Amino acid sequence: MLGKLIKYEQKATYKVLTIINFVIILLTLIGAFILNTNIFNNSESIPLAILLVIFYSLSLIAMGIIIVIYLYIRFYKNLFTAEGYLMHTLPVTPLQLFHSKLIVGYFWTFLNSLLMILSISTLGFVVGYHITKVEQLNFIEFFTENGIQLSEKESFAISFQKIFGYTPEGFVILLLILLIVSCFSSLLMGYLSILLGQLVEKYKLAASVGFYIVIYIVNQVISSFIMILPNLKFMISSIDNTEFFISDFYKNLLPLSIITQLLLGIIFYFMSVLLVQRKVNLD
Amino acid sequence: MTLLKCNNLTKTYGNVTALSNINLQIESGHIIGLLGPNGSGKTTLIKLIAGLLSPTSGSIYVQEKPLGTVSKSLISYLPDHSYLNDNWKVQDMIDFFEDFYKDFDSTRAYDMLEKLNINPSHKLKTFSKGTKEKVQLILVMSRRASIYILDEPIAGVDPAARDYILEIILSNYDENATLLISTHLISDIENILDEVIFIQNGTIHTHASVDDLRQKDHKSIDALFREVFKC
C-alpha cells in the first residue's frame, strides 16, 4: 500500500515541483550565457552585474522556499482538510500515509537543493572559465592544486583550502552529506509543526505556524551553540592568527552542522511518528 | 456476528457534548436511516464510525474488531461534502479507488457515469456541486463493502436526480451489506428504509424497525419525525 500511496503522492505533486526545478535550470543556463559574454568587462556594467547576482540569489532562495511551503501545504491539505476524509478512510495505516508524504517530499527537496548547488557550481565554473580565457591561463590547472605553479595567480584549489580548510572535493562531499541530512530535518520540521497543530482544539493552522516558528528558533539556538562552543578555544588561543582561525572555524562548521541536523532530524522523525499514530480528529 | 457495535460512545468538543453514551448495535442486511435535526450528532456519530474522529470515551467495533485498516476496508463512507482532489479527472479517481479498495468494481462505476452523462475524462473542478456529489456517490457505491455509510447523500442533488440516485443506491446495494443513511429528506428515502435511528441532542431517541413504528403509531416516518422533533 505504501508504494501505491507514493505513486499517487508523486502524481499529485510532480507538475508544480517539476516546473520550479525547471525554472532553476533555466536561470542557470541564462546566467551561464550572460557570464560567458564580455558585457561585464567594463566598469559601467558593475551595477547591472550586482543586480543580476541579487536577482539570481533571491530567485534561488524563493524557489527553495516555494518548494518547501508547497510540500507543507500539500501535507496539511491532503491529510487534515476535506481531502483528509478520503485519505484517512483508505485501508492504510497512518504511518504509511506519513511515510508516503515524507519519501516524496524528501525526493523533491533533495533534488531541488542538489540543483541549486549544481547551479551555483556551474556559474562558478563559468566565471572561472571566463577568467582563464581572459587571462590566458590553463582552465584545468586553475581549478586544481597544480595551479600553484602559475606563480602570482594562485590556484583556486589552494586558495580555497587556505580559506575554508577543505579541498574543493572534500567540501563538495561534506556539503552533499549536509544536504542529505538537512533536507530530511527541514521537511520534518514542517510536518512535525502541522502534526503538533492538530493537538490544538481550535485554530489548528495558526497553531501549526506558531509551532513552526518555535521549533525554528530552537533549531537556530541549538545549531549556534553547537557551532560556537567547540570553536571557543580557537577564539581565545589563535586570536592573532586570523587565517588559521577562519579556516579552522569553517573546518568544524560542516561536520558540526551535519551532526546537529542529523540529530534534530531523528528527533523530529520520532516525534512525528508518535503524533501521526494518534487518532485523528478532523473538523 | 454483529456488524457494528458502539459501546458507551461519548464525544465532547471542549465543554460541548456532541454525543453522549451511545450504545448501538447494527446487524448485516439492513437499510437504516439515521435521522435527526441539525446539530443532533448524526455527522459526529458517522465520523466516529469512519475513524475520522476519536471518541472521548467508549469504543466501536466492526465485525467485532476495533477500528483499523480492516474496518476501513469494510466501510464505504460518503462524507457530507466534497473530499476529492478537484484537479483530478473522474477516471483518475476511479483508478485511485480501484488501487486501494479490493472490492471496487470499475465497470460498475463507468456504467453509472454513462447513465448520468458524466464524462470520466473531465476534471472534477469543471463539474457543478451536484455533479461532484453524484461522482462521489458513484465511487462509494461501486464498492462491494460490508457497510455503506452515507452522510446526506441527496442533499445537494436536484429532486429529479434524487430518484435516480436512490435507484443507484438500491441497485448497488448487496443484500448482505448494511446501509446507514443520514438525511433530513426523510420523505424521499422513507420507502427504502428497514430501520430508523432517531438521534436527538447527542443521544439515541429511538432505534426501531420501520414496520414496527408504522404499526405502533400509524404514521409515516416523516410525520413521526416532525412530531418527535417539533420545534
Side-chain angles (χ1 to χ4, degrees):
Chain A
M1 283 293 182
L2 180 63
K4 288 176 185 171
L5 286 170
I6 290 172
K7 181 178 105 179
Y8 284 99
E9 186 62 17
Q10 191 71 302
K11 189 178 171 177
T13 53
Y14 85 97
K15 277 185 190 160
V16 174
L17 297 168
T18 305
I19 290 170
I20 295 171
N21 285 321
F22 183 73
V23 171
I24 294 173
I25 295 171
L26 204 68
L27 272 176
T28 313
L29 292 176
I30 295 169
F33 174 76
I34 294 171
L35 287 171
N36 209 18
T37 60
N38 285 323
I39 59 163
F40 296 131
N41 279 4
N42 58 65
S43 55
E44 286 166 13
S45 327
I46 289 173
L48 176 67
I50 293 171
L51 267 180
L52 284 175
V53 169
I54 291 172
F55 171 75
Y56 170 75
S57 317
L58 287 180
S59 304
L60 278 200
I61 294 168
M63 300 296 159
I65 293 173
I66 291 170
I67 285 197
V68 173
I69 290 180
Y70 176 79
L71 288 167
Y72 292 166
I73 292 174
R74 163 82 191 158
F75 184 81
Y76 174 75
K77 211 177 145 201
N78 192 241
L79 293 183
F80 300 113
T81 62
E83 284 176 36
Y85 282 67
L86 176 65
M87 302 311 289
H88 287 287
T89 47
L90 292 176
V92 297
T93 64
L95 265 187
Q96 285 173 328
L97 281 176
F98 174 72
H99 282 136
S100 69
K101 304 256 178 283
L102 184 62
I103 290 166
V104 173
Y106 183 77
F107 167 78
W108 285 107
T109 43
F110 181 69
L111 181 71
N112 174 254
S113 309
L114 203 62
L115 273 178
M116 283 194 192
I117 287 183
L118 282 175
S119 172
I120 296 165
S121 312
T122 306
L123 295 188
F125 270 101
V126 170
V127 170
Y129 175 72
H130 195 69
I131 292 169
T132 54
K133 210 168 64 177
V134 172
E135 307 270 336
Q136 294 185 323
L137 302 171
N138 185 310
F139 177 68
I140 296 165
E141 283 179 353
F142 181 75
F143 281 102
T144 59
E145 288 178 35
N146 297 334
I148 193 78
Q149 290 155 359
L150 294 163
S151 64
E152 72 261 31
K153 289 282 166 198
E154 204 173 52
S155 92
F156 171 76
I158 297 292
S159 320
F160 193 93
Q161 193 161 11
K162 270 188 182 170
I163 299 168
F164 298 111
Y166 308 99
T167 59
E169 307 91 85
F171 176 76
V172 169
I173 291 169
L174 282 175
L175 200 64
L176 270 176
I177 299 172
L178 178 63
L179 206 69
I180 292 169
V181 175
S182 64
C183 284
F184 181 67
S185 64
S186 65
L187 190 66
L188 276 166
M189 195 161 92
Y191 288 178
L192 175 64
S193 308
I194 293 166
L195 289 168
L196 283 168
Q198 292 302 308
L199 298 177
V200 180
E201 195 121 332
K202 278 181 180 175
Y203 310 114
K204 291 179 176 175
L205 189 57
S208 299
V209 175
F211 278 119
Y212 186 82
I213 293 168
V214 171
I215 297 173
Y216 183 82
I217 293 169
V218 171
N219 185 0
Q220 291 301 310
V221 170
I222 293 174
S223 305
S224 309
F225 264 108
I226 290 178
M227 274 179 241
I228 290 167
L229 286 178
N231 287 303
L232 274 177
K233 59 174 181 172
F234 292 108
M235 281 183 185
I236 300 159
S237 63
S238 334
I239 200 79
D240 48 346
N241 189 349
T242 320
E243 196 175 79
F244 173 73
F245 165 65
I246 292 174
S247 75
D248 215 86
F249 175 75
Y250 282 120
K251 207 174 178 176
N252 287 325
L253 187 69
L254 282 182
L256 285 173
S257 304
I258 290 169
I259 294 166
T260 316
Q261 292 309 309
L262 181 67
L263 287 176
L264 284 172
I266 292 170
I267 293 168
F268 293 161
Y269 174 77
F270 283 106
M271 281 178 77
S272 304
V273 163
L274 273 179
L275 289 172
V276 91
Q277 290 184 100
R278 280 169 47 93
K279 282 188 177 167
V280 286
N281 269 307
L282 295 187
D283 291 330
Chain B
M1 189 174 9
T2 305
L3 187 59
L4 174 71
K5 199 172 178 183
C6 302
N7 290 337
N8 302 317
L9 202 59
T10 298
K11 178 70 187 172
T12 58
Y13 297 100
N15 297 326
V16 181
T17 303
L19 283 181
S20 175
N21 223 17
I22 298 278
N23 285 297
L24 186 66
Q25 203 160 319
I26 289 174
E27 306 297 332
S28 298
H30 294 283
I31 302 180
I32 304 161
L34 182 62
L35 313 175
N38 292 328
S40 54
K42 301 188 296 288
T43 297
T44 302
L45 178 60
I46 283 177
K47 280 167 73 177
L48 283 164
I49 298 168
L52 298 171
L53 284 179
S54 48
T56 309
S57 63
S59 49
I60 302 168
Y61 296 92
V62 175
Q63 289 189 349
E64 292 174 3
K65 290 188 188 79
L67 293 185
T69 45
V70 176
S71 71
K72 286 175 182 177
S73 67
L74 297 172
I75 297 173
S76 190
Y77 163 67
L78 178 81
D80 59 350
H81 55 77
S82 175
Y83 71 157
L84 304 176
N85 185 337
D86 258 3
N87 290 314
W88 283 21
K89 293 172 183 167
V90 178
Q91 62 202 28
D92 294 335
M93 286 316 313
I94 290 177
D95 291 344
F96 183 91
F97 269 67
E98 199 169 26
D99 258 349
F100 285 101
Y101 297 111
K102 283 182 194 156
D103 56 8
F104 187 81
D105 182 351
S106 59
T107 319
R108 193 194 257 195
Y110 281 114
D111 281 351
M112 285 192 264
L113 286 168
E114 202 184 333
K115 277 181 192 159
L116 282 169
N117 287 322
I118 297 170
N119 190 333
S121 60
H122 283 182
K123 284 188 175 178
L124 282 163
K125 65 179 170 194
T126 63
F127 296 134
S128 67
K129 188 170 173 276
T131 309
K132 277 184 200 169
E133 283 191 16
K134 287 176 198 168
V135 172
Q136 289 193 165
L137 186 68
I138 287 170
L139 290 168
V140 167
M141 292 312 297
S142 296
R143 287 184 56 195
R144 302 244 178 228
S146 299
I147 314 177
Y148 298 88
I149 303 176
L150 315 179
D151 196 355
E152 303 283 355
I154 50 173
V157 180
D158 58 273
R162 273 182 205 158
D163 289 343
Y164 184 72
I165 297 242
L166 289 173
E167 195 188 314
I168 286 182
I169 294 173
L170 285 179
S171 59
N172 290 290
Y173 153 77
D174 178 0
E175 279 186 6
N176 294 318
T178 278
L179 203 66
L180 185 64
I181 309 177
S182 139
T183 186
H184 301 114
L185 304 162
I186 301 162
S187 55
D188 283 309
I189 66 155
E190 168 156 9
N191 294 333
I192 67 169
L193 298 179
D194 299 329
E195 278 179 33
V196 288
I197 299 169
F198 281 176
I199 187 162
Q200 188 177 31
N201 300 328
T203 54
I204 291 178
H205 179 280
T206 306
H207 179 191
S209 93
V210 168
D211 290 341
D212 288 351
L213 282 176
R214 280 193 190 128
Q215 270 181 7
K216 192 176 133 204
D217 297 300
H218 303 288
K219 282 176 186 155
S220 70
I221 299 300
D222 190 34
L224 197 62
F225 179 87
R226 285 168 199 271
E227 193 180 295
V228 171
F229 298 111
K230 195 175 178 183
C231 296

